[in-house]
Amino acid sequence: MIDSLRGAVAAEWTKLASVRSTWWTVLAGLLLMAASAGQLAIYVANGNTNDDPTDNAGVVTAGSVVIDAVELTQYAVLALALLAITAEFTSGTIRSTLQCTPSRGSVLLAKAVVAGVVTFVLGLLLGGVGTLVARPVLGEWGSAPAADTIGDIVAVATYLALVGVLALGLGAALRSAVLTIIVLLATLMIVPLSLQEPDIAVLNRIADVFPGVAGGHFLAGDSDPYPGAVGLLLLAGWAAAALLLGRAALRRRDA
């Protein structure tokens, strides 16, 4: 069983690394992070130096800028993860994959391991790039304490790995890249924002359990409405649920 899973993981890594779209998506993520972190850092610096005191953010950490930049950058990472499964349904190569590894649960688990590790490493790289861009742009209005910056980068990488697995699981269930990205947009942003808009307590509490909001509380290290660790557990729960949904869909339907 372990040898079979190891072989499946190696095969999934080979497929992911050999596809040109993977590297284009990585490049897109790096460019998005650099642009977003730079723009947000400019906003902070300008806000502290203009005549409007309501814009004053004071000195901020480069890590906090990177965390804010993830809101946009994550979609490149999500595209990378979901294409690892939806591209196979589109091209029909999923049939060959399932012939080589008949256990559909093992196939999905191998894909999840590869997607999780790749998006975690990519998250570290994105966090490093965002920090390198944001810190000099912030100038006197920025700081980058080593321990806090490393913690923020690792948190970003952890968040991206979990939402990457979430995207993979939804992709396995929905089989369409376009449909999957629509559902991800709705789940991570549109639905929770719609719930929060009226500012009604019960709707805010419902929004707080959605993966994007939970992940945001984790990244920010919030204590209200729950500790950041609870946000991490909620996000992990969504990722696990998506994998179970994808596994059920793979078992129920023909490739």
Side-chain angles (χ1 to χ4, degrees):
M1 175 65 179
I2 295 178
D3 289 339
S4 175
L5 181 60
R6 187 183 296 117
V9 168
E12 293 303 328
W13 162 247
T14 300
K15 285 187 287 184
L16 188 65
S18 61
V19 176
R20 191 174 300 174
S21 60
T22 296
W23 302 106
W24 281 114
T25 306
V26 170
L27 178 60
L30 291 171
L31 292 175
L32 276 172
M33 173 56 79
S36 299
Q39 185 178 38
L40 291 171
I42 289 172
Y43 289 161
V44 171
N46 287 345
N48 282 314
T49 54
N50 64 21
D51 295 329
D52 185 356
T54 63
D55 290 342
N56 293 351
V59 176
V60 303
T61 64
S64 68
V65 173
V66 170
I67 287 173
D68 289 340
V70 167
E71 185 173 354
L72 175 61
T73 309
Q74 66 179 328
Y75 290 102
V77 179
L78 293 174
L80 174 64
L82 69 89
L83 286 174
I85 182 73
T86 57
E88 289 206 57
F89 285 115
T90 301
S91 64
T93 55
I94 189 67
R95 297 185 185 91
S96 300
T97 297
L98 293 176
Q99 285 176 349
C100 294
T101 309
S103 171
R104 301 188 178 202
S106 295
V107 167
L108 190 58
L109 179 58
K111 286 183 178 293
V113 169
V114 171
V117 171
V118 168
T119 51
F120 181 83
V121 173
L122 178 56
L124 295 176
L125 182 59
L126 291 172
V129 168
T131 301
L132 290 175
V133 170
R135 181 62 191 92
V137 175
L138 287 169
E140 63 181 303
W141 304 109
S143 66
D148 291 344
T149 302
I150 291 171
D152 288 336
I153 291 174
V154 172
V156 164
T158 302
Y159 170 80
L160 291 176
L162 288 173
V163 294
V165 173
L166 170 64
L168 178 79
L170 288 177
L174 300 174
R175 302 191 173 200
S176 164
V178 174
L179 183 56
T180 302
I181 201 69
I182 290 172
V183 172
L184 283 168
L185 276 168
T187 305
L188 292 172
M189 184 173 63
I190 297 173
V191 174
L193 282 177
S194 299
L195 290 170
Q196 291 170 336
E197 184 63 27
D199 197 22
I200 298 173
V202 64
L203 296 182
N204 288 337
R205 298 292 77 79
I206 294 172
D208 283 330
V209 302
F210 273 73
V213 179
H217 289 312
F218 161 64
L219 290 173
D222 289 340
S223 57
D224 182 52
Y226 45 68
V230 175
L232 177 61
L233 290 175
L234 284 170
L235 180 57
W238 277 89
L243 279 181
L244 290 175
L245 182 64
R247 182 171 178 263
L250 275 176
R251 286 189 165 186
R252 188 174 63 252
R253 297 180 296 188
D254 293 333

